[in-house]
Amino acid sequence: TQLLEQSPQFLSIQEGENLTVYCNSSSVFSSLQWYRQEPGEGPVLLVTVVTGGEVKKLKRLTFQFGDARKDSSLHITAAQPGDTGLYLCAGERAAGNKLTFGGGTRVLVKP
Amino acid sequence: NAGVTQTPKFRVLKTGQSMTLLCAQDMNHEYMYWYRQDPGMGLRLIHYSVGEGTTAKGEVPDGYNVSRLKKQNFLLGLESAAPSQTSVYFCASSYSGYQETQYFGPGTRLLVL
């Protein structure tokens, strides 16, 4: 059982549709990061959220950290083919920057 | 800046063979990490280092050893490869701990037959 559960595991949508990816845990995290990974490459950081209830926006992407700091969501508005990739959430529980990663959500946006 | 580089990009080993994966970063980062990525399991931390000359175990350290003799390099060794070590290995680095961005290399794909 993974400490961080992501859902869904796979999402296929048409260009212009909205999507939401969830990252849930029974543990409290001091911060949570979202990464995007494209085939053949390493993950790249999208955002870090640190305060319970925090909402951050990055163009069409909206990230939310749960009030209890146990869960997070990523919402993409009007998805584009360039949003295709593997989205990973990663939680940090203590100082030292050891991240625990979720299993990932593979997103496919069809033109 | 090259960022984080990894060599080799791809390797095939037979069971029982040994090999070393090299990670190099040119960002003067203190922290370095080795992860493995398997389908549906995200990234799992193998070993990490918080500075030159230090190493520590992560979530899945068995069957691997590491060394950090120079600040810019972090080596991952497999002494006797097993098919269960077939995976994609990623190295990452960060400036320090706590809420810092981790910068990842492009990965090494390892197949153990």
Side-chain angles (χ1 to χ4, degrees):
Chain A
T1 304
Q2 286 193 284
L3 194 59
L4 272 171
E5 297 286 342
Q6 283 189 241
S7 61
Q9 287 187 309
F10 178 69
L11 201 51
S12 177
I13 60 171
Q14 292 296 132
E15 182 177 0
E17 293 181 339
N18 301 333
L19 69 98
T20 302
V21 176
Y22 299 93
C23 177
N24 295 300
S25 176
S26 57
S27 298
V28 174
F29 291 100
S30 58
S31 68
L32 199 132
Q33 298 180 336
W34 284 92
Y35 289 80
R36 181 167 68 204
Q37 184 179 17
E38 300 192 13
E41 299 181 8
V44 176
L45 182 70
L46 295 172
V47 78
T48 300
V49 285
V50 299
T51 306
E54 182 176 3
V55 177
K56 277 192 175 179
K57 291 192 176 182
L58 190 68
K59 295 183 182 178
R60 294 175 294 99
L61 278 61
T62 301
F63 303 86
Q64 190 160 8
F65 201 12
D67 290 340
R69 290 185 292 142
K70 292 182 179 181
D71 54 84
S72 181
S73 64
L74 157 61
H75 182 79
I76 301 179
T77 303
Q80 298 176 0
D83 296 325
T84 292
L86 179 67
Y87 289 82
L88 295 158
C89 65
E92 183 178 22
R93 287 200 288 174
N97 199 14
K98 280 198 300 179
L99 294 176
T100 298
F101 280 83
T105 295
R106 195 165 295 279
V107 172
L108 174 62
V109 183
K110 297 183 230 179
Chain B
N1 286 352
V4 179
T5 58
Q6 293 182 232
T7 52
K9 286 185 170 47
F10 177 69
R11 185 77 183 267
V12 178
L13 287 180
K14 293 181 180 178
T15 296
Q17 288 185 318
S18 63
M19 79 163 293
T20 300
L21 282 69
L22 171 64
C23 175
Q25 52 95 4
D26 61 2
M27 297 175 281
N28 201 34
H29 285 169
E30 289 292 336
Y31 286 56
M32 295 187 75
Y33 313 83
W34 275 108
Y35 293 91
R36 59 177 290 171
Q37 186 173 36
D38 303 293
M41 301 193 72
L43 289 137
R44 291 183 292 169
L45 183 64
I46 305 171
H47 286 280
Y48 65 101
S49 168
V50 300
E52 181 178 317
T54 75
T55 63
K57 293 181 181 179
E59 184 185 350
V60 288
D62 294 342
Y64 305 96
N65 56 74
V66 288
S67 64
R68 183 105 181 264
L69 299 179
K70 293 183 179 180
K71 186 177 183 178
Q72 64 267 34
N73 295 336
F74 196 27
L75 278 63
L76 177 71
L78 286 73
E79 289 187 347
S80 180
S84 60
Q85 293 178 304
T86 292
S87 188
V88 182
Y89 292 85
F90 287 96
C91 175
S93 70
S94 63
Y95 180 68
S96 66
Y98 202 51
Q99 297 177 10
E100 286 283 344
T101 301
Q102 290 192 15
Y103 295 86
F104 285 82
T108 294
R109 188 172 297 273
L110 177 66
L111 175 61
V112 183
L113 301 175

